[in-house]
Amino acid sequence: MLDNNQLLRFTTAGSVDDGKSTLIGRLLYDSKSIFEDQLEAIETTSKKKGHEGVDLALFTDGLRDEREQGITIDVAYRYFTTPKRKFIIADTPGHIQYTRNMVTGASTANAAIILVDARHGVIEQTKRHAFIASLLQIPHVIVCINKMDLVDFSEEAYNKVISQFEEFSSKLLVTDVRFIPISALLGDNVVNRSENMDWYQGAPLLHTLETMHISSDTNKVDARFPVQTVLRPQSDEFRDYRGYAGRMASGVLRKGDEVTVMPSGFISKIKSIDTFSGEVEEAFAPMSVSITLEDDIDVSRGDMIVRSNNKPEAQQDIEVMLCWLNNSPAKPRAKYTIKHTSNEQKAMITEVLYKIDINTLNRSSDDTEMSMNDICKVRIRTTKPLMIDPYRENRTTGSIILVDDATNETVAAGMVV
């Protein structure tokens, strides 16, 4: 099994021509993570387009529209490995009309790389992406000040961007922010240290990603085990086996722990914790396990097994920061299916409290119509209680999605406030 410390998910964000796709191409190219046939195909395409060298952006921009327009439209996932870590990159689009794509790509990330053009400094798009990173509680933000070659590798230009970003980010909930001056096109400070910027004493980007401490990003305090299914094998070997299977959302559960099943409130003790390769003494996020209890109590899909002395709140009226993902706007008091961990209920948006203008971060309580890419704070009422934690404490049990029953489309994603 992969040691979770080895896998780092990160997302890239920045304005349209700040060089996100080029940066990822450079990371893959310089860390030798590209297959020869891929490289040949991209060299051929680059020549056809009349580029002198390899167009690194083509490694991620796979859609025909993206290549024609030279922009990123959808979230592109790329995987690469170094001896120290495995990486999953979500290359998200920069345009304002693709805010929802960025929210999708960033929702599971450990780190966000925000690119800033050294010539233009912090612009509205930078602020928007930093705000979304803060909203989604991404623990680490790396601000890559790109195109340093176009400002003669000037330390002054680099410091100017830092002061601009720090002035703005002081209002946000981002704890770990790092700054790296780079040139994605030439490879300065991406994988290898830059000889052109000897005034910069920090590590290049890849080294920063490889050594970033992410094991404390997951919540290890609140034990939450949403039940996905009940296992009743009915075989001779497991005649009376009744296990509750699912994936640990957070925290640790051990054999012998006293637990409460929510929302029923039944109390029992953990008899055994089983995995595909045998029994274990403890389960922690993100392990998939089957738990058996000492008492024969009623547990089904959607219930949550938690420690008796540390329970989430069971709520029917929930306040949520909602990003609207659908083309058609939200209908007032329409019914949706709300999905929270393995639990599904019917729900209704009872009130839109305010809408956030992502450019200015101002809250508008007058305009309450939700259409695509809008981020609003809303109240939702569900038919039965959900076992929730605030999103800032637990990204798994603090997130929900809304599904339109008529079309079965996911219309919104939300974070419990």
Side-chain angles (χ1 to χ4, degrees):
M1 195 179 95
L2 222 195
D3 175 9
N4 195 42
N5 289 355
Q6 287 186 310
L7 176 65
L8 176 98
R9 295 168 181 268
F10 67 91
T11 179
T12 56
S15 190
V16 180
D17 288 320
D18 281 351
K20 295 184 296 299
S21 300
T22 307
L23 173 65
I24 292 172
R26 173 61 69 189
L27 259 180
L28 298 173
Y29 187 71
D30 283 3
S31 62
K32 312 280 189 287
S33 303
I34 294 160
F35 295 116
E36 278 183 23
D37 56 339
Q38 278 180 304
L39 191 55
E40 282 169 17
I42 281 163
E43 281 171 349
T44 310
T45 313
S46 300
K47 273 182 193 153
K48 273 187 199 163
K49 290 180 131 195
H51 296 305
E52 286 175 17
V54 179
D55 183 359
L56 297 167
L58 297 177
F59 288 126
T60 55
D61 288 343
L63 297 177
R64 186 180 291 166
D65 281 359
E66 295 181 321
R67 292 192 170 184
E68 282 174 3
Q69 297 178 46
I71 61 167
T72 303
I73 292 173
D74 199 3
V75 181
Y77 291 96
R78 288 290 173 270
Y79 307 84
F80 76 103
T81 305
T82 69
K84 293 183 184 170
R85 256 195 188 143
K86 284 182 162 59
F87 295 95
I88 300 178
I89 315 168
D91 181 24
T92 57
H95 291 66
I96 185 163
Q97 69 262 39
Y98 302 124
T99 299
R100 61 180 185 162
N101 303 57
M102 187 188 163
V103 169
T104 310
S107 58
T108 55
N110 301 93
I113 295 177
I114 297 178
L115 269 92
V116 179
D117 189 322
R119 297 167 302 170
H120 304 145
V122 172
I123 56 172
E124 269 187 8
Q125 203 88 323
T126 318
K127 293 179 180 179
R128 185 181 312 121
H129 291 153
F131 170 70
I132 292 172
S134 156
L135 187 71
L136 291 165
Q137 300 281 303
I138 298 178
H140 312 279
V141 172
I142 302 170
V143 180
C144 285
I145 297 156
N146 192 19
K147 306 195 180 180
M148 290 298 291
D149 50 313
L150 301 180
V151 292
D152 297 330
F153 302 104
S154 150
E155 186 178 3
E156 194 182 324
Y158 166 71
N159 289 333
K160 188 178 169 189
V161 176
I162 291 181
S163 60
Q164 284 176 345
F165 191 88
E166 282 179 339
E167 183 187 343
F168 164 75
S169 65
S170 59
K171 303 173 203 152
L172 303 177
L173 298 167
V174 183
T175 47
D176 178 21
V177 183
R178 309 170 192 212
F179 298 92
I180 303 176
I182 64 165
S183 166
L185 193 64
L186 304 178
D188 289 79
N189 280 338
V190 179
V191 171
N192 305 310
R193 284 193 71 97
S194 167
E195 292 174 6
N196 297 308
M197 291 180 275
D198 47 13
W199 45 264
Y200 172 70
Q201 296 302 312
L205 177 63
L206 183 63
H207 184 267
T208 305
L209 290 169
E210 282 181 333
T211 54
M212 187 175 275
H213 180 67
I214 56 167
S215 59
S216 59
D217 293 351
T218 47
N219 180 328
K220 292 191 170 63
V221 178
D222 306 315
R224 305 283 184 259
F225 182 73
V227 177
Q228 287 184 13
T229 188
V230 180
L231 300 180
R232 297 292 306 277
Q234 303 290 348
S235 64
D236 289 339
E237 193 184 346
F238 301 104
R239 176 61 61 198
D240 297 318
Y241 187 88
R242 186 187 179 90
Y244 308 110
R247 189 181 189 188
M248 286 292 294
S250 61
V252 182
L253 286 174
R254 294 184 179 85
K255 206 169 152 179
D257 279 354
E258 184 184 283
V259 291
T260 299
V261 178
M262 296 193 61
S264 62
F266 289 127
I267 294 172
S268 184
K269 282 192 172 173
I270 295 178
K271 187 174 165 187
S272 71
I273 300 173
D274 303 303
T275 67
F276 181 72
S277 43
E279 195 178 325
V280 291
E281 287 298 309
E282 61 177 27
F284 50 86
M287 285 171 67
S288 295
V289 296
S290 168
I291 290 176
T292 64
L293 301 177
E294 288 182 358
D295 304 281
D296 203 9
I297 55 181
D298 181 20
V299 183
S300 56
R301 178 180 169 85
D303 290 350
M304 194 179 281
I305 296 174
V306 300
R307 277 227 186 83
S308 298
N309 59 357
N310 178 346
K311 299 178 193 169
E313 286 187 61
Q315 289 187 355
Q316 279 182 269
D317 287 296
I318 309 165
E319 287 194 0
V320 177
M321 292 298 292
L322 210 59
C323 177
W324 197 256
L325 309 174
N326 204 306
N327 293 318
S328 50
K331 302 176 198 80
R333 304 193 79 78
K335 288 189 173 58
Y336 299 100
T337 295
I338 187 168
K339 294 192 176 188
H340 170 261
T341 62
S342 57
N343 198 343
E344 288 183 26
Q345 304 291 345
K346 293 285 179 270
M348 183 168 72
I349 299 170
T350 53
E351 189 183 355
V352 178
L353 300 169
Y354 58 78
K355 187 191 286 190
I356 291 180
D357 181 336
I358 307 185
N359 297 326
T360 60
L361 300 193
N362 289 338
R363 299 172 178 185
S364 162
S365 47
D366 307 330
D367 176 13
T368 54
E369 187 175 297
M370 273 193 293
S371 44
M372 191 163 75
N373 295 318
D374 281 344
I375 293 179
C376 305
K377 186 176 181 183
V378 301
R379 265 200 198 102
I380 294 175
R381 182 161 183 81
T382 61
T383 47
K384 288 181 183 169
L386 298 178
M387 285 66 74
I388 58 167
D389 294 294
Y391 184 82
R392 67 176 179 277
E393 290 170 17
N394 197 324
R395 284 172 83 181
T396 309
T397 56
S399 54
I400 57 111
I401 60 169
L402 294 181
V403 177
D404 187 329
D405 291 343
T407 59
N408 213 23
E409 289 181 343
T410 303
V411 294
M415 291 133 301
V416 177
V417 180

